[in-house]
DNA sequence: GCATGATCACACTC
DNA sequence: CGAGTGTGATCATG
């Protein structure tokens, strides 16, 4: 219905209220503020691998924008359409975040803006910490992570804006392409130099959910084409460097280490379209030359995402060599096709074959080796949690009762009684509906997008609860719906039991909450005094290192507000003991460069607001990769020189940024 | 109701 | 710059 509006500034039908507020005309050009400090702080200040952006202060690089007089080059401003009221707030530099008045008492004061993305405005992001001009062309793991997180955070935010109808509709349905475009044009990319062989910072087994993600990290710089090639000195001396096997061409793969790849082009029987042969040019020619030169070709396997119809997951499967090539007639009446047989170069980790193995476990075709229990949760979770030990003879973790959520002591007194939203009981809450009190509590933003993916880290996420009128299928109940991935509790080599997933996990996807018994500080110290460890305790009063996960507002022409804060804001401390009662979360180990983070979530039960700790994926997590989060440090440990303190455990996370130990 | 097909709006390379 | 190359979301159809 809304489609086809294009850049028309008339608001889409159905958003009656907005048309008033959004009497669309550019009120003011928002000119980004230039950093006073030309030196970006050292990354040491932001130890978690993802540092703040300093878009205007860093080294200049004119190659992306072509602007010569960079020093004075004002970015062409973006138009922001907003009501005058909010304009005042912005001019003063404080929005209403800390003021209770706005959202609750007056819905119209909730931040509401239509954003129009302007292709022409130029922001130089090469000053981004971690992505200097050199890293743009040759990366490493840290830079790859920064680039991927920047891409996905942008994509999530764009998706959120589209969902809420806050973006001029019809401008793009493809938030993936838009986010990629922004990254590439702002220098948020790495390994831009094409190369034969592996790409620094990209590991075999890494997964991608969009073609654009592979573009921005230089794994495969074709946004659509399946074959990427590097040009030689002569026109005819191109070499294929990477291919994406999309499954579209029915590439049969008996063995996980062999790939029969079909060349590009030609028409094969798609309806009445002309049948035509594939031509030996472009990618096909490059592959042909590669088969003669025997150079390594990166192979990315595309497979259907079983959890989301139509979309694909791309797995980097390592380096292959072309062993054979030939032409054959299309079986379904099309023209001639080129075929290439590729063999994986030996001695590399397996990636795609792991997926095939998991498929066999799932189908029951093959038994999981080392399986101790098919379902640790005894049916408490809708998806079974397997218990596996492939490393020693320990038969099971110490006894505990599986329970998926929190148990509160009777005396536990909590926050104010809350009242749910009164959204349509059948329809669930709709992003962009500012009458929804739950959305108001989230400062006007719907916290989740498709696949239940969290858009931003927030001081506190407000979900709908039982007294909300919307029904359980409401998208604002992500953390209450139990496990979404098939989990496995497994014995690690040196860290006791650990947790991992058979399914791929998207960045921002909900994994599980920290279940257990809620206790208070006094009870915790009592437990420790009694000789109990705090091994299974989650304590929100510990010190957690800050890190950046959210998108950079400037990239969308937005102003940074308190709304974008990533600091936790707990209404009260929460200590959870999972020693006797808990879920899979109690098995998650610590890492100094984790792939999971926690987020406080609030929703009411029995008319009282209850605080929960929910875990989300920090980045895309391939199947069978151990899930870890940062345990933080005890407040009393903060003084320097306390590393010899009793109770510290040596950290085995193995990351470059390892702090060596944790408490 | 679920799988498949058609349509649409894109980005990047050459 | 325009042709070549599909992708990914969404909606219609079987």
């Amino acid at each position: 219905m809304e489609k086809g509006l294009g850049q028309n500034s008339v608001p889409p039908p159905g958003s009656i209220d907005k048309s008033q507020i959004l009497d669309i005309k550019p009120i003011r050009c928002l000119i980004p503020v230039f950093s006073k400090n030309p030196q970006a702080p050292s990354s040491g200040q932001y130890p978690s691998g993802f540092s703040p952006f300093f878009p205007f202060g860093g080294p200049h690089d004119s190659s992306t924008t072509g602007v010569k007089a960079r020093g004075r080059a004002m970015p062409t401003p973006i138009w922001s359409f907003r009501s005058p009221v909010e304009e005042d707030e912005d001019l003063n530099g404080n929005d209403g975040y800390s003021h209770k008045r706005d959202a609750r008492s007056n819905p119209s004061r909730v931040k509401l803006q239509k954003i129009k993305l302007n292709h022409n405005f130029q922001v130089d992001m090469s000053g981004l910490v971690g992505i200097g001009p050199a890293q743009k062309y040759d990366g490493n793991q840290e830079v790859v992570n920064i680039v991927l997180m920047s891409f996905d955070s942008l994509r999530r935010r764009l998706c959120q804006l589209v969902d809420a109808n806050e973006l001029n509709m019809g401008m793009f349905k493809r938030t993936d392409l838009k986010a990629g475009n922004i990254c590439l044009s702002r220098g948020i990319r790495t390994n831009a130099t094409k190369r034969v062989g592996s790409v620094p910072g990209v590991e075999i087994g890494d997964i991608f959910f969009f073609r654009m993600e592979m573009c921005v990290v230089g794994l495969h710089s074709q946004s659509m084409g399946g074959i990427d090639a590097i040009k030689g000195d002569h026109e005819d001396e191109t070499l294929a460097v990477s291919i994406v096997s999309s499954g579209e061409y029915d590439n049969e793969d008996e063995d996980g280490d062999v790939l029969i790849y079909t060349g590009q082009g030609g028409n094969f029987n798609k309806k009445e379209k002309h049948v035509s042969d594939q031509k030996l040019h472009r990618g096909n020619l490059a592959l042909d030359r590669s088969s003669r030169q025997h150079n390594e070709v990166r192979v990315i396997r595309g497979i259907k995402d079983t959890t989301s119809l139509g979309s694909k997951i791309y797995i980097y499967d390592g380096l292959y060599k072309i062993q054979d090539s030939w032409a054959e007639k299309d079986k379904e009446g099309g023209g001639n096709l080129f075929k290439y047989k590729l063999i994986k170069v030996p001695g590399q980790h397996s990636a795609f074959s792991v997926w095939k193995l998991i498929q066999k476990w799932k189908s029951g075709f093959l038994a999981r080796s080392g399986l101790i229990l098919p379902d640790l949760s005894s049916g408490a979770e809708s998806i079974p949690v397997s218990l596996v030990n492939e490393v020693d003879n320990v038969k099971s973790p110490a006894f505990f009762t599986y329970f998926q959520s929190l148990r509160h002591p009777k005396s536990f007194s909590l926050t104010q009684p809350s009242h749910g939203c009164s959204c349509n009981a059948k329809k669930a809450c709709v992003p962009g509906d500012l009458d929804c009190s739950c959305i108001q509590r989230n400062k006007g933003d719907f916290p989740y997008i498709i696949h239940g993916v969290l858009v931003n880290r927030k001081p506190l996420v407000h979900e709908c609860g039982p007294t909300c009128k919307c029904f359980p299928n409401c998208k604002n109940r992500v953390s209450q719906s139990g496990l979404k991935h098939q989990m496995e509790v497994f014995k690690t080599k040196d860290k006791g039991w650990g947790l991992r997933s058979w399914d791929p996990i998207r960045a921002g996807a909900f994994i599980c909450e920290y279940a257990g018994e809620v206790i208070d500080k006094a009870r915790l110290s009592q437990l420790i005094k009694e000789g109990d460890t705090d091994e299974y305790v989650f304590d929100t009063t510990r010190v957690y290192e800050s890190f950046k996960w959210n998108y950079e507002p400037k990239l969308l022409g937005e102003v940074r507000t308190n709304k974008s804060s990533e600091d936790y804001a707990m209404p009260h401390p929460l200590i959870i003991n999972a020693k006797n009662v808990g879920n899979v979360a109690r098995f998650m180990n610590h890492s100094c460069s984790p792939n999971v983070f926690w987020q406080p979530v609030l929703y009411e039960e029995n008319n009282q607001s209850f605080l929960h700790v929910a875990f989300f994926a920090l980045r895309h997590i391939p199947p069978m990769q151990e899930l870890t989060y940062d345990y933080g440090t005890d407040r009393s440990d903060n003084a320097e020189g306390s590393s010899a303190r009793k109770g510290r455990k040596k950290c085995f996370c193995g990351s470059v940024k390892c702090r060596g130990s944790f408490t």
Side-chain angles (χ1 to χ4, degrees):
Chain A
M1 168 158 62
E2 285 101 338
K3 90 176 137 192
L5 271 173
Q7 308 195 11
N8 197 335
S9 47
V10 177
S15 54
I16 335 103
D17 261 326
K18 283 186 193 172
S19 63
Q20 272 191 312
I21 309 166
L22 299 169
D23 182 16
I24 308 243
K25 54 179 180 249
I27 290 164
R28 176 168 75 95
C29 292
L30 297 169
I31 297 164
V33 181
F34 283 77
S35 168
K36 295 255 162 44
N37 177 8
Q39 286 302 330
S42 82
S43 57
Q45 197 180 331
Y46 307 92
S48 296
F50 196 59
S51 311
F53 300 95
F54 293 90
F56 304 109
H60 299 320
D61 173 22
S62 56
S63 68
T64 42
T65 55
V67 177
K68 279 181 192 140
R70 174 55 49 86
R72 290 291 94 209
M74 275 306 197
T76 309
I78 195 162
W79 300 356
S80 186
F81 305 103
R82 43 180 51 205
S83 73
V85 175
E86 291 161 68
E87 170 124 343
D88 288 339
E89 281 176 357
D90 277 344
L91 284 171
N92 297 332
N94 28 333
D95 76 357
Y97 186 79
S98 52
H99 310 237
K100 286 211 169 91
R101 51 174 172 87
D102 60 9
R104 290 299 281 274
S105 55
N106 187 353
S108 71
R109 291 185 66 90
V110 173
K111 185 130 296 172
L112 179 62
Q113 56 181 325
K114 270 217 177 184
I115 292 168
K116 180 185 175 187
L117 294 182
N118 186 335
H119 272 269
N120 298 321
F121 89 106
Q122 283 151 358
V123 179
D124 182 2
M125 277 288 155
S126 59
L128 234 152
V129 175
I131 314 183
Q135 285 75 31
K136 218 170 110 176
Y137 297 101
D138 298 285
N140 55 52
Q141 190 153 31
E142 188 186 355
V143 177
V144 164
N145 280 338
I146 293 173
V147 169
L148 286 176
M149 289 174 78
S150 306
F151 168 88
D152 204 55
S153 56
L154 266 177
R155 187 195 61 84
R156 293 192 306 266
R157 172 60 173 164
L158 287 169
C159 207
Q160 181 181 55
L161 290 167
V162 169
D163 284 352
N165 234 320
E166 284 184 43
L167 220 45
N168 279 344
M169 268 303 293
M171 269 188 79
F172 35 87
K173 299 169 177 171
R174 297 291 301 272
T175 52
D176 56 323
L177 296 183
K178 181 52 66 186
N181 181 247
I182 291 173
C183 287
L184 291 174
S185 61
R186 306 292 192 281
I188 304 172
R189 62 184 304 179
T190 185
N191 298 313
T193 319
K194 283 197 189 182
R195 69 202 70 209
V196 173
S198 56
V199 168
V202 180
E203 309 268 327
I204 294 175
D206 282 356
I207 58 172
F208 305 88
F209 288 84
F210 298 94
R211 297 282 302 249
M212 269 301 184
E213 293 181 318
M214 299 186 284
C215 292
V216 293
V217 296
L219 184 63
H220 184 86
S221 46
Q222 222 75 327
S223 67
M224 292 179 179
I227 305 162
D228 194 16
I230 193 171
K231 281 198 95 171
D233 293 339
H234 269 263
E235 185 76 64
D236 260 13
E237 286 183 4
T238 64
L239 279 183
V241 291
S242 60
I243 58 172
V244 178
S245 142
S246 62
E248 285 293 308
Y249 291 79
D250 189 31
N251 298 309
E252 61 262 42
D253 34 59
E254 328 83 51
D255 187 324
D257 289 347
V258 178
L259 172 66
I260 309 290
Y261 188 78
T262 307
Q264 62 186 191
N267 272 320
F268 21 89
N269 99 328
K270 285 284 177 210
K271 274 252 157 148
E272 294 292 316
K273 292 207 173 146
H274 297 295
V275 169
S276 63
D277 291 340
Q278 290 190 337
K279 293 189 195 97
L280 194 57
H281 67 171
R282 294 170 169 260
N284 298 344
L285 184 61
L287 280 174
D288 215 62
R289 278 195 37 78
S290 284
S291 85
R292 275 197 282 277
Q293 297 285 318
H294 304 291
N295 69 298
E296 294 163 330
V297 177
R298 297 186 293 274
V299 166
I300 298 120
R301 306 268 195 163
I303 54 161
K304 273 197 195 120
D305 181 355
T306 46
T307 62
S308 138
L309 263 124
S311 72
K312 280 197 195 107
I313 302 174
Y314 301 94
I315 306 146
Y316 175 47
D317 199 30
L319 304 175
Y320 281 60
K321 279 186 179 175
I322 304 172
Q323 196 200 44
D324 201 5
S325 65
W326 64 93
E328 66 179 46
K329 199 85 186 161
D330 178 42
K331 287 180 192 112
E332 294 172 47
N336 276 329
L337 304 174
F338 291 109
K339 294 278 183 176
Y340 302 88
K341 183 178 185 182
L342 294 103
I343 311 280
K344 188 164 176 171
V345 175
Q348 303 179 90
H349 287 127
S350 41
F352 185 58
S353 43
V354 172
W355 286 68
K356 301 193 93 180
L357 189 60
I358 293 170
Q359 265 173 17
K360 287 179 187 160
W361 296 341
K362 283 193 165 189
S363 64
F365 189 73
L366 196 71
R368 172 80 177 98
S369 62
L371 185 75
I372 296 168
L373 258 182
D375 185 14
L376 182 74
S377 85
S378 314
E381 302 284 0
S382 55
I383 306 172
V385 179
S386 48
L387 179 68
V388 170
N389 186 348
E390 291 179 290
V391 300
D392 57 30
N393 291 322
V394 180
K395 279 291 168 232
S396 102
F399 176 81
F400 74 103
T401 305
Y402 198 99
F403 185 68
Q404 325 91 293
S405 196
L406 296 181
R407 272 187 193 166
H408 298 275
K410 284 199 187 83
S411 59
F412 207 69
S413 137
L414 292 138
T415 44
Q416 300 292 310
S418 69
H419 301 287
C421 64
S422 42
C423 292
N424 190 316
K426 287 253 165 81
K427 261 192 3 197
C429 301
V430 183
D433 176 7
L434 297 180
D435 293 334
C436 170
S437 59
C438 292
I439 294 176
Q440 286 172 20
R441 275 192 276 271
N442 285 309
K443 312 295 167 209
D445 284 332
F446 203 88
Y448 303 107
I449 53 169
I450 187 167
H451 304 127
V453 163
L454 184 73
V455 177
N456 282 327
R457 293 173 65 217
K458 292 174 156 236
L460 187 58
V461 165
H462 299 263
E463 289 196 0
C464 291
T467 60
C468 293
K469 297 254 165 54
C470 57
F471 208 59
N473 65 340
C474 174
K475 300 282 188 291
N476 194 24
R477 299 169 185 268
V478 167
S479 76
Q480 305 163 40
S481 46
L483 302 184
K484 289 282 178 296
H485 309 93
Q486 181 144 10
M487 308 297 267
E488 172 178 292
V489 172
F490 72 107
K491 191 73 178 3
T492 63
K493 280 203 199 90
D494 43 22
K495 295 180 293 187
W497 297 90
L499 183 68
R500 61 191 175 194
S501 164
W502 289 10
D503 296 317
I505 307 176
R506 290 168 186 265
F510 170 70
I511 294 171
C512 61
E513 83 164 284
Y514 199 97
E517 296 170 299
V518 175
I519 57 175
D520 57 20
K521 201 91 195 169
R523 176 76 185 127
L524 177 60
S525 10
Q526 189 191 345
L527 282 173
I528 293 171
K529 238 179 240 160
E530 287 168 5
D532 237 333
T533 66
D534 58 357
E535 202 179 336
Y536 291 107
V537 171
F538 191 99
D539 183 352
T540 62
T541 65
R542 291 166 70 87
V543 179
Y544 296 91
E545 284 189 38
S546 63
F547 65 98
K548 182 168 167 93
W549 190 71
N550 295 354
Y551 75 107
E552 172 52 51
K554 272 182 192 134
L555 283 169
L556 298 180
E558 291 183 284
V559 197
R560 182 183 290 283
T561 65
N562 286 338
K563 215 167 86 169
S564 33
S565 167
E566 301 190 40
D567 296 328
Y568 299 126
M570 242 69 58
H572 58 82
L574 179 64
I575 304 172
I576 306 164
N577 182 11
K579 174 122 199 252
N580 307 312
V581 174
N583 66 351
V584 290
R586 70 197 288 287
F587 293 106
M588 240 191 296
N589 285 310
H590 163 87
S591 171
C592 302
S593 49
N595 52 15
V596 173
F597 64 85
W598 67 278
Q599 163 73 53
V601 174
L602 194 75
Y603 51 87
E604 50 67 45
E605 302 156 61
N606 307 321
N607 251 1
Q608 276 199 309
S609 288
F610 280 78
L611 190 57
H612 295 258
V613 170
F615 290 99
F616 294 89
L618 196 139
R619 44 176 169 258
H620 302 326
I621 305 173
M624 305 306 279
Q625 184 177 96
E626 184 178 2
L627 306 180
T628 53
Y629 69 98
D630 192 332
Y631 281 13
T633 47
D634 196 279
R635 241 164 234 289
S636 57
D637 279 1
N638 268 347
E640 271 308 314
S642 63
S643 59
R645 177 183 172 273
K646 265 193 289 179
R648 269 193 176 264
K649 302 179 193 74
K650 189 174 185 321
C651 182
F652 290 101
C653 76
S655 90
V656 191
K657 307 215 158 187
C658 184
R659 302 193 291 266
S661 64
F662 61 96
T663 43

